[in-house]
Amino acid sequence: MLQAFLRHVRRFPWVTNVTLYGCLFAGGDLVHQWFSARDQMDWRHTRNVAAVAFSFHGNFNFFWMRLLERRFPGNSAGMVMKKLLLDQTTAAPLATSVFYTGVSFLEGKEDILEDWREKFLNTYKTGLMFWPFMQFLNFALVPLYVRTTFTGCCAFVWATFLCFSRQTGDGTAGAALAWMFPPKEEAAEPAKDEIESKQKVEETAASRPA
C-alpha cells in the first residue's frame, strides 16, 4: 500500500501533496474544536481554514520546497542549514501572516490585520520552537517529492495550535499548554460541583416525609 501511494505521489506530485497538505491542515481545526469540547462544530471556520490551506499554504509549500532544492541541492549539512535558515526567515513568517489575515478576510472582519498585529510575533516565536526541528528532518531525510506531505503532517499539529491561538489564545506555547492541560484546580471544579449537586438531591430526598 505504501509503495502504491509513493507511485501515485511520483506520478501526480502536485495534486497529491497539495491535497494531503490541505486536508491535514483543515484537520487541525477539527482537532482544536474537539479539544474545546464545543456543543456544535463551527464548519464555517473549518471551511475558511481549508480554503486558506488549499489556496495558499499547500501550493506555496510545494513550489517553495522545489525552489530551495534547486538553489541548494542535496542534503549535506551545509545545504540543509542554508535551506533551514531561509525557510524560517522567509516562508515561516509569510505563512503565519497569510493564515491570520486570510481567515480574517474570509470571515468578513473589518480589520483583517487585527489578529496579525496582536498574535503574529508570539506565534512566530513559538514556531521557532517547533518548525526548525521538523524542517531539519524534512530537508535531511525526506525525498523532495513527498516533502510537502511531510510538512502537512507537521502542519496538522501546527494548525491545531494556530486555530486555538486565533480564536482564544495569544500565540504563545504557554497558553496552548494551559488550554490542553488545565490546572488541577480548574479540572476539579466540574467534579466538585457534581458531587455537591448529588449531595443536595440526597438531602432533599431524605428530608421528605416517608
Side-chain angles (χ1 to χ4, degrees):
M1 186 174 179
L2 177 60
Q3 293 300 321
F5 168 74
L6 294 177
R7 284 197 300 270
H8 186 80
V9 176
R10 288 193 184 96
R11 186 177 180 186
F12 307 104
W14 174 72
V15 172
T16 307
N17 278 279
V18 172
T19 299
L20 287 173
Y21 188 104
C23 291
L24 289 164
F25 202 95
D29 178 68
L30 295 177
V31 171
H32 161 250
Q33 295 194 47
W34 178 76
F35 262 108
S36 300
R38 296 183 175 179
D39 294 333
Q40 289 186 335
M41 297 293 291
D42 186 356
W43 295 109
R44 173 178 288 185
H45 190 267
T46 303
R47 180 202 65 190
N48 292 339
V49 171
V52 173
F54 277 103
S55 62
F56 176 79
H57 287 89
N59 284 287
F60 172 76
N61 187 272
F62 180 82
F63 293 107
W64 175 249
M65 289 294 155
R66 278 148 182 76
L67 176 63
L68 288 178
E69 191 62 29
R70 284 197 298 269
R71 183 65 182 83
F72 307 107
N75 59 354
S76 65
M79 291 299 181
V80 168
M81 295 309 297
K82 288 178 182 178
K83 285 184 253 193
L84 188 60
L85 178 63
L86 193 58
D87 183 68
Q88 293 305 299
T89 57
T90 303
L94 176 60
T96 302
S97 298
V98 170
F99 172 80
Y100 280 124
T101 57
V103 176
S104 294
F105 172 77
L106 292 174
E107 288 184 349
K109 294 185 67 172
E110 291 185 6
D111 184 3
I112 64 172
L113 295 176
E114 179 182 0
D115 289 327
W116 181 85
R117 284 195 301 269
E118 295 176 355
K119 303 172 182 179
F120 166 77
L121 185 58
N122 284 340
T123 304
Y124 178 64
K125 289 190 291 186
T126 301
L128 292 177
M129 296 185 285
F130 174 76
W131 279 113
F133 304 100
M134 299 299 102
Q135 293 294 54
F136 177 83
L137 296 175
N138 200 9
F139 295 134
L141 303 176
V142 179
L144 176 62
Y145 64 91
V146 286
R147 280 183 188 166
T148 295
T149 297
F150 178 84
T151 307
C153 293
C154 302
F156 173 77
V157 177
W158 183 243
T160 303
F161 168 77
L162 282 179
C163 292
F164 160 76
S165 295
R166 185 180 177 276
Q167 294 193 322
T168 55
D170 59 4
T172 62
L177 291 173
W179 164 65
M180 294 180 64
F181 308 104
K184 292 183 179 180
E185 292 78 8
E186 294 182 11
E189 282 298 322
K192 181 180 178 182
D193 293 341
E194 185 178 351
I195 292 173
E196 291 178 352
S197 178
K198 287 182 179 180
Q199 288 177 343
K200 289 180 180 179
V201 171
E202 291 174 357
E203 291 173 0
T204 302
S207 63
R208 289 177 182 172

